[in-house]
Amino acid sequence: MKWRGSRKSTNIEDRRGTSSGGSNSGGGLNPMLIGLLLKLVTSKKGLIIVGIVLAVMYFTGNNPLNFITGNNQIQSTSTYNGTESENELADFTATVLANTEDVWKQIIPNYREPSLVLFSGSVTSACGGATSATGPFYCPGDEKIYIDLSFFEEMGRKLNAPGDFAQAYVIAHEVGHHIQSITGINKKVQSLRGQISQTEYNKYSVMLELQADFYAGIWAHHFQKVNNSMQMEDGDLEEALNAAHATGDDILQEKYSGRVVPDSFTHGTSAQRMRWFKKGFDTGDVNQGDTFNASSL
């Protein structure tokens, strides 16, 4: 895939080197809280407040200052210097995201661009905390895509799905979820949670994921047309299809548990994922991706 020299998206949040944890466990008083307590102890009323603060910390393990500042997460930031290969992956990711912006602006009027967060280790989103093991994901709560770049390396090592176009497919798939968010499809599916059985809900989840694969195929169909400096090369399409195959529920369940349980599928089989990506790629017609009313998946 030819991509170097093309525009990079400005909708990138680089949080690599920033670690995000859970709630403050009260293992120690932070400097801001210490300063506040010192001011309060100078008055009788202040002593009462200090007593309440310390009691809350003792019985709940939480820093009450978090309720004042809204800071319920522990974050520590240090200067992050990625390796040459990792920084190249970051540039590649920003370039692919920029191209998805150009493609979807031509398809969807007033397209609202998502942000993409690069993180390492763990991250906090509007959908909650996540680690690298979660894999790339989209959070509709903040309209952001989250990716630990180490996942791209693991695609080759653990999933046997190497290649830059395979990586581009992953990014385009998450952008596909953003399309579902701004069109309201994701919200409709989420509203079914708790209203139907888990088995039935899994079926809707599969439809949602397969449609995101279709949208990734739509991007792959159009991306060369919006930027002549980005071109597919021999083997690129096969890389994307191989990635879709490698991440099928049936393949992953067989690989990691030795048994396949169709009722637990949430993303679709390898054949289904390949089929819907290829349909988007072949047609380039966004109107042909209604997985929810398809006669078969």
Side-chain angles (χ1 to χ4, degrees), residues 53-287:
V53 168
L54 294 177
V56 170
M57 293 187 69
Y58 180 81
F59 288 108
T60 69
N62 288 317
N63 181 346
L65 192 63
N66 290 334
F67 296 101
I68 301 172
T69 64
N71 179 23
N72 292 316
Q73 299 294 327
I74 305 171
Q75 292 190 332
S76 59
T77 306
S78 58
T79 302
Y80 185 84
N81 296 309
T83 64
E84 182 178 350
S85 61
E86 184 184 358
N87 289 334
E88 183 176 49
L89 272 178
D91 288 341
F92 170 78
T93 300
T95 302
V96 172
L97 182 64
N99 193 268
T100 66
E101 294 165 353
D102 295 338
V103 167
W104 287 107
K105 281 178 183 177
Q106 291 189 0
I107 298 175
I108 299 178
N110 301 315
Y111 175 65
R112 188 167 64 246
E113 300 172 354
S115 294
L116 190 150
V117 178
L118 300 176
F119 72 95
S120 54
S122 62
V123 71
T124 300
S125 74
C127 298
T131 67
S132 301
T134 305
F137 67 96
Y138 171 77
C139 176
D142 53 24
E143 297 192 346
K144 294 179 181 180
I145 298 164
Y146 293 81
I147 295 177
D148 185 325
L149 294 174
S150 64
F151 176 80
F152 290 146
E153 298 174 357
E154 292 181 0
M155 284 179 65
R157 292 199 319 269
K158 295 183 179 181
L159 300 179
N160 195 28
D164 52 9
F165 210 75
Q167 297 161 359
Y169 154 74
V170 171
I171 298 169
H173 173 90
E174 298 306 330
V175 172
H177 284 310
H178 177 63
I179 304 299
Q180 294 170 326
S181 181
I182 62 179
T183 57
I185 295 173
N186 181 70
K187 187 175 181 179
K188 289 181 180 179
V189 173
Q190 292 297 324
S191 68
L192 297 174
R193 190 182 294 275
Q195 305 300 314
I196 57 179
S197 70
Q198 186 61 49
T199 298
E200 286 299 311
Y201 185 81
N202 288 346
K203 293 179 181 179
Y204 281 97
S205 177
V206 167
M207 295 174 194
L208 198 70
E209 294 295 335
L210 293 180
Q211 188 177 63
D213 282 333
F214 173 82
Y215 287 149
I218 290 289
W219 164 78
H221 175 94
H222 291 284
F223 91 99
Q224 297 178 104
K225 301 176 183 178
V226 300
N227 188 337
N228 291 330
S229 64
M230 294 185 70
Q231 297 289 328
M232 288 182 67
E233 298 178 302
D234 290 343
D236 279 348
L237 178 58
E238 288 72 20
E239 287 180 2
L241 290 172
N242 182 50
H245 177 273
T247 52
D249 284 322
D250 52 340
I251 297 296
L252 292 176
Q253 286 188 1
E254 178 68 33
K255 180 181 179 69
Y256 292 106
S257 70
R259 56 195 292 263
V260 177
V261 185
D263 283 349
S264 68
F265 288 175
T266 57
H267 286 65
T269 67
S270 57
Q272 289 171 334
R273 300 199 69 170
M274 293 171 67
R275 184 183 308 125
W276 282 96
F277 173 84
K278 189 65 162 50
K279 184 175 183 179
F281 180 81
D282 288 341
T283 66
D285 182 2
V286 71
N287 295 314

